Amino acid sequence: MIKISKMALLVTSGLLMSCAGAETPVEATIKKLIEPRLGEGATVDSIKETPYAGLYEVRTGGDILYTDKNAQYLFVGHVFDAKTSQDLTKERLDEVNRIKFSDLPLGSALKTVKGNGKRVIAVFEDPNCGYCKRFRQNALKEIDNVTVYTFMYNILSPDSITKSRNIWCAPDRNKAWDDWMLNGKVPATVAASCANPHDKILALGQQLRVSGTPAIFFADGSRIPGAIDTKTLEQKLSTVK
């Protein structure tokens, strides 16, 4: 993740497009110049010229930036079409961060079916995440005709790993999860040796650049971060084919 605070004097707005082909000499030069300026450990995945006033898109992980051909200026933020108010950056982020839903290891997730279950989502949640509890207590509680795959993504504390293991190894893991997330009932302790998918899910979340919870993935591969409300969830599900 880019530490924007280190670049506060340089940044105003930005955009990313994925690189469709080989880099041009100018793009290769920009990459060489800009990468060391993004901070320790930052890697530029692609550079591409845009149709926006000679600016170049910089892709680094799940982030998007903008720079000029000399890599002298760096812009962070969203670019909008002034005539239509279309958020061009968001569209590119959605495209770049889209996943193949069928590749998710659903066998390593908790599965809940409500109503006919025809609509499908996957949610990355930490058991100690307050926003996850709010999302589950409100939007997920009120929504119907949906199948929810919950990946216990333990990123907040060692206690998250312990709670997830106790829930995964419970006689009824879905009930144990709901008891905890909805009612605050602590799951019964199980042996530390009980097999669970923590390592697998942690690696998966990192691969998908899930940096916070909850993170909601839809059947079309798109995602929404954060505890959205019922109306927003319904609106999104209505657009997924």
Side-chain angles (χ1 to χ4, degrees):
M1 184 66 67
I2 297 296
K3 295 183 178 179
I4 298 177
S5 60
K6 292 184 178 181
M7 302 180 286
L9 298 178
L10 299 176
V11 302
T12 56
S13 63
L15 179 67
L16 164 72
M17 288 185 181
S18 56
C19 187
E23 290 180 339
T24 67
V26 172
E27 291 166 350
T29 299
I30 292 173
K31 181 176 181 180
K32 182 178 180 180
L33 290 172
I34 204 72
E35 194 167 61
R37 299 174 184 174
L38 297 181
E40 184 177 355
T43 300
V44 173
D45 298 315
S46 68
I47 303 285
K48 183 176 178 63
E49 186 175 9
T50 79
Y52 311 116
L55 294 176
Y56 287 77
E57 300 163 346
V58 182
R59 175 181 174 182
T60 172
D63 294 316
I64 59 173
L65 311 172
Y66 235 176
T67 191
D68 61 289
K69 68 177 182 180
N70 298 315
Q72 182 176 357
Y73 299 101
L74 187 64
F75 307 89
V76 179
H78 282 227
V79 168
F80 290 81
D81 185 314
K83 292 182 179 180
T84 65
S85 297
Q86 181 181 6
D87 189 337
L88 302 174
T89 302
K90 183 181 183 301
E91 289 188 358
R92 292 305 303 166
L93 279 171
D94 288 345
E95 180 177 341
V96 168
N97 290 316
R98 193 174 297 274
I99 69 166
K100 188 175 181 181
F101 194 92
S102 60
D103 285 346
L104 292 174
L106 301 180
S108 296
L110 306 177
K111 180 181 179 180
T112 302
V113 180
K114 301 184 68 176
N116 60 32
K118 289 184 178 180
R119 305 182 296 180
V120 182
I121 63 174
V123 188
F124 283 69
E125 299 182 65
D126 186 296
N128 287 317
C129 167
Y131 291 105
C132 299
K133 293 178 181 180
R134 186 174 72 182
F135 175 63
R136 189 162 289 272
Q137 291 165 359
N138 293 290
L140 283 189
K141 186 177 180 179
E142 297 171 3
I143 207 84
D144 200 10
N145 297 325
V146 63
T147 297
V148 182
Y149 290 96
T150 302
F151 290 97
M152 293 185 286
Y153 187 49
N154 309 307
I155 58 175
L156 293 182
S157 72
D159 179 66
S160 298
I161 301 173
T162 301
K163 282 192 173 75
S164 289
R165 179 177 63 242
N166 291 339
I167 290 168
W168 184 261
C169 296
D172 186 338
R173 58 182 61 146
N174 284 321
K175 182 178 184 302
W177 178 254
D178 284 344
D179 282 347
W180 168 246
M181 298 297 282
L182 299 178
N183 304 312
K185 182 179 178 180
V186 179
T189 301
V190 301
S193 59
C194 182
N196 65 92
H198 164 69
D199 291 339
K200 181 178 182 179
I201 301 309
L202 184 63
L204 173 66
Q206 292 170 343
Q207 177 187 345
L208 298 178
R209 298 190 291 273
V210 177
S211 59
T213 55
I216 312 158
F217 290 84
F218 298 86
D220 63 355
S222 62
R223 72 175 78 186
I224 295 179
I228 58 177
D229 58 23
T230 306
K231 181 180 179 180
T232 303
L233 182 57
E234 282 284 8
Q235 289 175 338
K236 174 61 180 179
L237 286 169
S238 69
T239 68
V240 178
K241 305 302 181 182

